[in-house]
Amino acid sequence: MNEKSRLLTIGQFAALHGINKKTLMWYDEIGLFRPVAVNPENGYRCYSYHQSPVLETILLLRELDVSLTDIQNFMKNRSAKSMNSLLEEKIEALDLQIMHLQAVRKTLCGYRQDMHTLLTMDLGEISIVEKEERCLVTVEIDENTTFEKEVELVTAETARYQLGRLHHASYGSMIPVSSLQKGNFNDYTRLFIEIPFLKQAKGLHMQPGGKYLRAFHKGDWAGLTLRYQEILDYACQQGLTLLGYSYEKGINETVAERMEDYIVQIEILLGD
């Protein structure tokens, strides 16, 4: 006799699928999934191994947060066409969820890197680091752009890229190296937004990969002028060529309580 043709008790069938037997009892009560037989003497439910694919389909749909009503409707009109349509819909939803989780993971890794930097950094040091190319959303600003306007511009861009939450991206500002070399240390021309899941696209700013001069500044913005002068002096002494922009971003915003504790990371691309 084929072992797969034997009937299983509700406990055995539940254990086979890794669920509680009360779940099977509930499915039976609502007419979603019934046993193949019921013992007339004791009312015990019995299931066939061949019912497994149907139950696994139901469990999969429940795992995908499909409502019981929708599952019941699907089970009443099961077909390859309806199954294909449902799977396509759920795969698309899962792809979006995966992309979201990958973006959150990248954001968390960025925060962790910032915390590692905070724990190991020497505030007075100017170092050279290697960075990979990254894609940035930027908005143009000038000395007349108010803070309210900056917020408006950033909000518009986050909405455009369906960012949803501010913590899903990192933010900073950019100053042309040419301005720094002229002593215009407050000549911010762009704000940047780094969105973790964003790929290269037309109209976006590509921050080049390569060697960067990195320094830090702690305290209010007024002290940045002196820090930039130190950076320029260091580059001159070391015979280094600065290119493009200075990219500034706060690295301890999540843990700093006072403005005087705020730390800005400064990175400037080096020429060959």
Side-chain angles (χ1 to χ4, degrees), residues 74 79-91:
F74 169 75
S79 68
K81 182 177 180 180
S82 61
M83 185 64 169
N84 183 69
S85 177
L86 182 60
L87 290 176
E88 284 185 348
E89 177 187 333
K90 291 304 172 182
I91 288 171

Side-chain angles (χ1 to χ4, degrees), residues 117-214:
T117 300
L118 286 172
L119 293 171
T120 59
M121 69 191 304
D122 177 350
L123 277 173
E125 182 183 17
I126 298 176
S127 60
I128 296 176
V129 297
E130 191 80 28
K131 289 182 64 69
E132 295 182 357
E133 180 183 74
R134 61 175 180 164
C135 188
L136 304 175
V137 176
T138 61
V139 294
E140 294 186 3
I141 60 172
D142 58 34
E143 60 182 6
N144 298 316
T145 306
T146 64
F147 176 73
E148 290 74 15
K149 183 61 177 180
E150 290 181 0
V151 171
E152 179 184 327
L153 292 170
V154 169
T155 301
E157 288 303 301
T158 55
R160 177 183 176 189
Y161 290 95
Q162 300 179 335
L163 189 58
R165 299 287 300 278
L166 291 179
H167 71 252
H168 291 167
S170 60
Y171 299 81
S173 51
M174 298 162 58
I175 305 177
V177 167
S178 57
S179 294
L180 296 176
Q181 292 170 335
K182 294 175 184 177
N184 299 327
F185 300 116
N186 295 313
D187 188 22
Y188 292 93
T189 60
R190 298 187 186 185
L191 301 177
F192 71 78
I193 309 165
E194 182 179 13
I195 302 176
F197 53 82
L198 194 63
K199 297 181 180 180
Q200 184 172 351
K202 184 178 180 181
L204 298 178
H205 174 81
M206 297 306 301
Q207 181 181 358
K211 294 187 185 312
Y212 279 74
L213 203 63
R214 174 183 287 174

